[in-house]
C-alpha cells in the first residue's frame, strides 16, 4: 500500500475513536436504540410457526390448502377430545360427552363444527372432534385449555385428553412464547461468565455486552419492519437463533478487537492512536469475517422452504448490525473509558507482550518439530470421528420424537392411537374436478393406509374429500400413504387432483428441506472459497482451509450423532439440522480462519512464512480460543429449550466451534502452514520468497 493509501486507511480507522468523533458515535447509537426499542419487542408477535407457512406456492399441499378455502376456512384447526375409562365407558359417559359436544358447538370459534361423540370399538374411549377457526392464533392456547376444563369436569374416573392440530399448535405456541427471553437471559449469563474469565476484569465485560445488546435491539427492530413490509417469514426457530447469533458473533468480534487494542496499548502511549492502529490492523480481518458470515447466510435465500430462506436475511441482518456496532460503538466506548477499564491488569505503555511466551507460542514450537506427523494424525482422528454418523437417522421425526418430554398433545395422540384410527382429526385431503368425484372417492377409499373416507363436498366445480389415516399422521407409514394417494388420484384422467392435509404438508416440508440442503451446502463452500481467495490473495491456502472446514464439520456431526444416540436418547435428527449446523459452523468457523491467516500473512510478510506461522498462532491462539468458548457457550444455550432440533443444533455447533478453535485452527492449520510453507500462499508474492528468507526461517528452533 502506498504512503497516501496507508494514511487514508489510518484516518478511516481512526473515525470511531477520534477525540471528538467518539462522542458522536455514542450519541448516534443512543438515538438508534431510542427509535428501535419499541419495535424490537414486536418481533415475536410477527412470527409464523405453522408448518404450511414454510412451503412455497408450488408445493402440492400448498395448492390444496388454497383451494380448500372454498370449502372451509384455512384457519380451521380441529381439536380431538378423547374420553377414556379403562374399565369401559358407561351410558353416563356418553351423555356427558354429548352434553360437552353441544356446549362446544356453541362457542364462537366453533360455530357448530363438531363431530361425535363416537365410542371406540373396544368400548373404553369416546372421541369428539371440535373444529376451531383459530389457526395458529395466540388465543388457541386458552381455547384448548377451555375444552379440557369443560370435558374434565365431573367424574374423576373418566380421563380426558386433547390432541389434534389445535392441541399441537397450543403446545408449540407455549414453547415459542418465552423462547426469546429464555434464550436472552441464559445466553447473557454465559457470555458474562466467559468474559469475566477471559478478561479477568470486573468491568471490561460491560462494554462488549452493552454493544451486543444495542445490536440485538436494532436487529430485531429492522427484521420486524421487514416482516410487515416484505414477504419475509420469521418463526420461533429463526427468532431464537437470532438472539444466540447476534450475542455470540458480536462478542467474538469484540474479543478480537479488544485483544489487538490491548496489544497496541503496550506500543502506543496515546490510547486514541492505539485504537486507530488496532482498527487498521484488525479491522479488515473482522470486517472480512463478518462479510463472510453474511454472504454465507444469504446463500439460504436460494432455499425453497420459507423457514430456511427466511433465516438467511434474519441472520445476515443480525450479523451486519452486530459487526457495525463492534467496529463503531465498542471502539468509542473503550477509548472514552481509557486504560482503567482493563483493571486490575492494565496494559502499560512499553510493557512486554505476554502472548509471545504464552501457551500457544509453546504449542507452535512443539508442532514445528514434526508438522507433517501432527497434521496427518489430527486429520485421521477427525475423519474417524465422522464415522459416528453411520446408522444415525437423519430425516423426519414424529411429533413425540420432536419434543424433549411429553407435551399434553402428544400424550393425547398416544391414547387416541390405542382406541381409534390414529389419523383421526388430521385427515388426508383431496381436491379435484367435480366431474371426477366418483373415481376420486373410489381411488382414495382403496388406497392402503386409508381407514375411512368421508362424504364428498361439491362446490364451484370442485370436489373435496377427506380420508382418515390408519396410522399416526406423523409416522413414516402415513407419509407412504400420502404418496400412494397422490399416485392413485393423479392417475385419474381429468381429475387434476391436489392432495393436502397436515401429513402432506409435513411430507412436503421434509422434501423441500432435503432439496435445500443438497443445494445450499456446496453453494456456501463455493462462496466461502471465493472470499478466502480474494482476501488471502492465494489459491492453495483457501483450498486447504476449505478442506479443514469440511473435515471439522464431519467430525462435529459424527461425535454429535453418538451423543444424540447414546447420551440424549434421541431417535434421530431432523432433515434441516445438518444444514443449519453446517451453515453456522462453516460461516462462524471461517471467522477464526480469517483472523488466524490474516495475522499469519502479516507476520510472514515481515519475517518469512515459518516465523509468520508461529508468530500468528502465538498472537491469536488465546483470543481465538476465548472467542470459541464464548460462541460455543451461546449456542449451547439452545439446549435450554424443550425442542429436539434446538438441542441438536446447539450441541453440534458448540462442539464444532470447540473443535475448530482448539484443534483445527490452532493445531491442524498451523501444522499445515509449517509443512506447506511458502507454497501455501501461491501465487502471491509470499510464495516467491528468496532463498535467503527461506534459510533464515529454517533457523527457528523447532521445540522449546
Amino acid at each position: 500500500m502506498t504512503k497516501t493509501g496507508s494514511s487514508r486507511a489510518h484516518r478511516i480507522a481512526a473515525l470511531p475513536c477520534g477525540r471528538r468523533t467518539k462522542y458522536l458515535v455514542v450519541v448516534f447509537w443512543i438515538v438508534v436504540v431510542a427509535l428501535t426499542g419499541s419495535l424490537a419487542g414486536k418481533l415475536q408477535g410477527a412470527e409464523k410457526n405453522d408448518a404450511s407457512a414454510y412451503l412455497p406456492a408450488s408445493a402440492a399441499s400448498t395448492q390444496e390448502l388454497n383451494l380448500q378455502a372454498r370449502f372451509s376456512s384455512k384457519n380451521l384447526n380441529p381439536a380431538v377430545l378423547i374420553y377414556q375409562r379403562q374399565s369401559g365407558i358407561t351410558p353416563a359417559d356418553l351423555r356427558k360427552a354429548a352434553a360437552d359436544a353441544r356446549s362446544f358447538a356453541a362457542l364462537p370459534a366453533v360455530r357448530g363444527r363438531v363431530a361425535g361423540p363416537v365410542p371406540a370399538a373396544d368400548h373404553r374411549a369416546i372421541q369428539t372432534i371440535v373444529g376451531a377457526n383459530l389457526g395458529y392464533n395466540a388465543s388457541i392456547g386458552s381455547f384448548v385449555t377451555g375444552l379440557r376444563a369443560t370435558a374434565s369436569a365431573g367424574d374423576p374416573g373418566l380421563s380426558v385428553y386433547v390432541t389434534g392440530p389445535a392441541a399441537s399448535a397450543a403446545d408449540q405456541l407455549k414453547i415459542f412464547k418465552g423462547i426469546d427471553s429464555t434464550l436472552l437471559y441464559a445466553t447473557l449469563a454465559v457470555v458474562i461468565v466467559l468474559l469475566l474469565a477471559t478478561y479477568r476484569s470486573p468491568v471490561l465485560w460491560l462494554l462488549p455486552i452493552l454493544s451486543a445488546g444495542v445490536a440485538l435491539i436494532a436487529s430485531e427492530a429492522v427484521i420486524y419492519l421487514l416482516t410487515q413490509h416484505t414477504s419475509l417469514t420469521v418463526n420461533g426457530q429463526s427468532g431464537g437463533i437470532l438472539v444466540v447469533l447476534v450475542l455470540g458473533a458480536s462478542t467474538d468480534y469484540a474479543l478480537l478487537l479488544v485483544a489487538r487494542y490491548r496489544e497496541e496499548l503496550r506500543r502506543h502511549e496515546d490510547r486514541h492512536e492505539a485504537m486507530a492502529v488496532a482498527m487498521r490492523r484488525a479491522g479488515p480481518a473482522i470486517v472480512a469475517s463478518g462479510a463472510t458470515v453474511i454472504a454465507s447466510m444469504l446463500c439460504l435465500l436460494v432455499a425453497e422452504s420459507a423457514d430456511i430462506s427466511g433465516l438467511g436475511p434474519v441472520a445476515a441482518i443480525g450479523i451486519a448490525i452486530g459487526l457495525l456496532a463492534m467496529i463503531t460503538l465498542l471502539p468509542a466506548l473503550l477509548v472514552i473509558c481509557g486504560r482503567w477499564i482493563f483493571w486490575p491488569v492494565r496494559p502499560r505503555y512499553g510493557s512486554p507482550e505476554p502472548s509471545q511466551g504464552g501457551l500457544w507460542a509453546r504449542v507452535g514450537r512443539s508442532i514445528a518439530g514434526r508438522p507433517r506427523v501432527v497434521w496427518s494424525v489430527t486429520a485421521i482422528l477427525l475423519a474417524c470421528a465422522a464415522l459416528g454418523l453411520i446408522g444415525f437417522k437423519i430425516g423426519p421425526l414424529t411429533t413425540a420424537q420432536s419434543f424433549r418430554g411429553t407435551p399434553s398433545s402428544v400424550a393425547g395422540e398416544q391414547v387416541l392411537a390405542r382406541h381409534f384410527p390414529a389419523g383421526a382429526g388430521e385427515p388426508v385431503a383431496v381436491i379435484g374436478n367435480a366431474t371426477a368425484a366418483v373415481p376420486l372417492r373410489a381411488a382414495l377409499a382403496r388406497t392402503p393406509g386409508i381407514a375411512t373416507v368421508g362424504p364428498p363436498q361439491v362446490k364451484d366445480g370442485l370436489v373435496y374429500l377427506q380420508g382418515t389415516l390408519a396410522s399416526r399422521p406423523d409416522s413414516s407409514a402415513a407419509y407412504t400413504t400420502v404418496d400412494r394417494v397422490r399416485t392413485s388420484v393423479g392417475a385419474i384422467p381429468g381429475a387434476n387432483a391436489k392432495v393436502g392435509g397436515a401429513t402432506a404438508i409435513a411430507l412436503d416440508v421434509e422434501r423441500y428441506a432435503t432439496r435445500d440442503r443438497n443445494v445450499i451446502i456446496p453453494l456456501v463452500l463455493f462462496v466461502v472459497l471465493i472470499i478466502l481467495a480474494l482476501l488471502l490473495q492465494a489459491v492453495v491456502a483457501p483450498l486447504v482451509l476449505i478442506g479443514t472446514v469440511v473435515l471439522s464439520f464431519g467430525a462435529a456431526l459424527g461425535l454429535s450423532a453418538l451423543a444424540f444416540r447414546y447420551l440424549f436418547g434421541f431417535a434421530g435428527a431432523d432433515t434441516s439440522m445438518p444444514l443449519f449446523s453446517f451453515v453456522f459452523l462453516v460461516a462462524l468457523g471461517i471467522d477464526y480462519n480469517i483472523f488466524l491467516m490474516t495475522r499469519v500473512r502479516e507476520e510472514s510478510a515481515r519475517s518469512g512464512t515459518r516465523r509468520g506461522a508461529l508468530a500468528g498462532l502465538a498472537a491469536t491462539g488465546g483470543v481465538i480460543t476465548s472467542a470459541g468458548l464464548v460462541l460455543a457457550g451461546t449456542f449451547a444455550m439452545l439446549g435450554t429449550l424443550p425442542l429436539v432440533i434446538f438441542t441438536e443444533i446447539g450441541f453440534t455447533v458448540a462442539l464444532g466451534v470447540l473443535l475448530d478453535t482448539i484443534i483445527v485452527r490452532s493445531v491442524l492449520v498451523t501444522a499445515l502452514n509449517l509443512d506447506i510453507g511458502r507454497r501455501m500462499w501461491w501465487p502471491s508474492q509470499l510464495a516467491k520468497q528468496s532463498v535467503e528468507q527461506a534459510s533464515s526461517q529454517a533457523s527457528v528452533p523447532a521445540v522449546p
Side-chain angles (χ1 to χ4, degrees):
M1 183 183 288
T2 64
K3 186 174 181 180
T4 304
S6 176
S7 176
R8 186 184 300 113
H10 188 79
R11 288 197 302 272
I12 294 172
L15 281 176
C17 51
R19 297 183 187 278
R20 294 185 180 86
T21 54
K22 60 189 177 187
Y23 298 110
L24 295 177
V25 169
V26 173
V27 170
F28 167 79
W29 283 103
I30 290 174
V31 172
V32 168
V33 171
L35 294 176
T36 60
S38 60
L39 295 174
K42 297 179 180 180
L43 178 60
Q44 190 170 357
E47 294 173 356
K48 297 179 180 178
N49 292 304
D50 53 311
S52 61
Y54 299 172
L55 292 171
S58 59
S61 53
T62 304
Q63 294 177 25
E64 187 279 332
L65 192 62
N66 292 332
L67 292 173
Q68 184 183 317
R70 303 187 186 186
F71 296 90
S72 61
S73 171
K74 292 171 65 174
N75 291 323
L76 197 61
N77 234 357
V80 182
L81 279 91
I82 309 298
Y83 301 82
Q84 178 186 253
R85 189 184 293 274
Q86 293 293 350
S87 59
I89 56 173
T90 66
D93 295 336
L94 283 170
R95 290 194 296 272
K96 156 72 173 166
D100 290 346
R102 289 191 293 272
S103 67
F104 298 151
L107 295 174
V110 178
R111 297 196 178 193
R113 289 182 289 259
V114 175
V118 177
D122 61 7
H123 300 290
R124 290 191 297 163
I126 304 169
Q127 171 187 273
T128 301
I129 299 177
V130 181
N133 190 27
L134 293 174
Y136 278 76
N137 191 290
S139 60
I140 199 166
S142 58
F143 174 79
V144 170
T145 301
L147 294 182
R148 185 180 292 110
T150 300
S152 300
D155 188 348
L158 186 65
S159 303
V160 174
Y161 302 88
V162 185
T163 186
S168 296
D171 283 340
Q172 290 177 18
L173 287 170
K174 183 178 179 182
I175 289 171
F176 287 124
K177 184 178 181 181
I179 190 173
D180 291 349
S181 57
T182 300
L183 272 179
L184 177 62
Y185 298 137
T187 305
L188 280 176
V190 168
V191 171
I192 290 170
V193 168
L194 290 173
L195 286 178
L196 282 169
T198 300
Y199 290 142
R200 300 174 189 175
S201 166
V203 287
L204 179 56
W205 63 271
L206 286 167
L207 301 188
I209 287 292
L210 178 62
S211 302
V214 167
L216 181 60
I217 291 171
S219 301
E220 290 180 335
V222 170
I223 293 165
Y224 169 74
L225 290 174
L226 288 176
T227 63
Q228 301 305 298
H229 301 290
T230 69
S231 59
L232 177 64
T233 298
V234 178
N235 58 13
Q237 180 173 278
S238 53
I241 288 173
L242 175 69
V243 173
V244 169
L245 198 59
V246 171
L247 292 181
S250 297
T251 307
D252 266 13
Y253 300 145
L255 284 165
L256 301 178
L257 178 62
V258 172
R260 192 60 186 254
Y261 174 51
R262 181 159 45 187
E263 191 177 325
E264 298 301 333
L265 282 172
R266 302 178 189 279
R267 299 171 182 161
H268 301 273
E269 190 171 4
D270 179 25
R271 66 181 187 274
H272 299 86
E273 180 65 18
M275 178 58 80
V277 173
M279 287 286 290
R280 183 162 60 89
R281 295 192 180 277
I286 294 172
V287 171
S289 298
T292 305
V293 179
I294 292 168
S296 300
M297 295 302 170
L298 290 178
C299 289
L300 295 176
L301 284 171
V302 305
E304 293 194 27
S305 303
D307 61 325
I308 296 176
S309 62
L311 178 61
V314 167
I317 290 167
I319 292 293
I321 295 178
L323 174 64
L324 182 62
M326 292 304 155
I327 61 174
T328 57
L329 178 59
L330 180 61
L333 293 174
L334 284 167
V335 174
I336 288 172
C337 291
R339 293 176 189 259
W340 71 266
I341 199 71
F342 290 92
W343 182 87
V345 187
R346 286 184 288 181
R348 300 185 182 278
Y349 173 59
S351 60
E353 174 55 44
S355 65
Q356 298 307 314
L359 169 66
W360 292 106
R362 296 194 297 272
V363 168
R365 290 194 294 268
S366 299
I367 295 171
R370 305 180 72 182
R372 187 165 299 176
V373 173
V374 171
W375 74 254
S376 299
V377 171
T378 305
I380 290 171
L381 290 176
L382 290 171
C384 290
L387 298 177
L389 280 170
I390 296 175
F392 184 68
K393 175 195 171 187
I394 297 179
L397 301 178
T398 67
T399 304
Q401 292 169 347
S402 300
F403 290 96
R404 293 170 56 190
T406 307
S408 58
S409 61
V410 172
E413 184 183 278
Q414 294 167 348
V415 174
L416 175 69
R418 288 199 292 268
H419 301 290
F420 296 92
E426 297 188 49
V428 174
V430 178
I431 295 181
N433 291 332
T435 54
V438 174
L440 279 174
R441 190 180 190 283
L444 181 59
R446 67 172 175 262
T447 302
I450 296 295
T452 59
V453 177
Q457 302 177 47
V458 178
K459 188 176 183 181
D460 298 334
L462 297 174
V463 61
Y464 177 51
L465 295 161
Q466 289 185 319
T468 302
L469 289 160
S471 51
R472 289 196 322 272
D474 58 358
S475 64
S476 57
Y479 295 147
T480 302
T481 300
V482 168
D483 279 333
R484 289 177 183 148
V485 171
R486 283 175 169 169
T487 301
S488 181
V489 301
I492 299 174
N496 194 25
K498 308 297 181 185
V499 179
T503 303
I505 288 172
L507 178 60
D508 288 345
V509 168
E510 149 72 13
R511 288 183 175 161
Y512 277 102
T514 302
R515 175 264 175 201
D516 293 339
R517 181 189 65 197
N518 296 340
V519 170
I520 291 172
I521 285 179
L523 178 62
V524 170
L525 285 175
F526 177 75
V527 168
V528 169
L529 178 65
I530 296 300
I531 292 175
L532 285 175
L534 294 173
L535 180 66
L536 300 178
Q537 302 172 38
V539 171
V540 175
L543 289 171
V544 170
L545 294 177
I546 286 294
T548 65
V549 162
V550 173
L551 195 59
S552 175
F553 172 68
L557 204 57
L559 293 175
S560 297
L562 293 174
F564 298 153
R565 188 184 307 174
Y566 299 111
L567 182 62
F568 293 95
F570 294 158
D574 184 84
T575 306
S576 59
M577 188 280 286
L579 173 60
F580 288 140
S581 300
F582 176 84
V583 171
F584 294 134
L585 273 178
V586 171
L588 298 170
I590 286 298
D591 275 9
Y592 308 128
N593 264 323
I594 290 174
F595 200 70
L596 170 64
M597 294 301 284
T598 51
R599 186 60 182 263
V600 168
R601 183 181 178 84
E602 179 186 331
E603 298 291 342
S604 297
R606 280 201 293 261
S607 53
T609 53
R610 184 177 177 84
R611 291 180 186 271
L614 297 176
L617 175 62
T620 64
V623 67
I624 286 178
T625 303
S626 299
L629 288 172
V630 170
L631 195 63
T634 54
F635 267 91
M637 289 302 98
L638 288 172
T640 60
L641 304 173
L643 289 173
V644 167
I645 187 171
F646 276 109
T647 302
E648 291 182 335
I649 292 174
F651 185 91
T652 304
V653 175
L655 178 60
V657 166
L658 292 177
L659 283 175
D660 252 357
T661 54
I662 298 173
I663 297 176
V664 177
R665 299 300 147 250
S666 304
V667 177
L668 179 60
V669 173
T670 298
L672 286 166
N673 268 326
L674 290 167
D675 190 26
I676 298 173
R678 62 183 185 275
R679 294 185 299 275
M680 178 74 89
W681 303 100
W682 183 87
S684 70
Q685 279 300 116
L686 278 178
K688 304 171 185 176
Q689 287 178 330
S690 66
V691 175
E692 291 80 6
Q693 285 175 307
S695 64
S696 72
Q697 293 175 60
S699 64
V700 177
V703 227

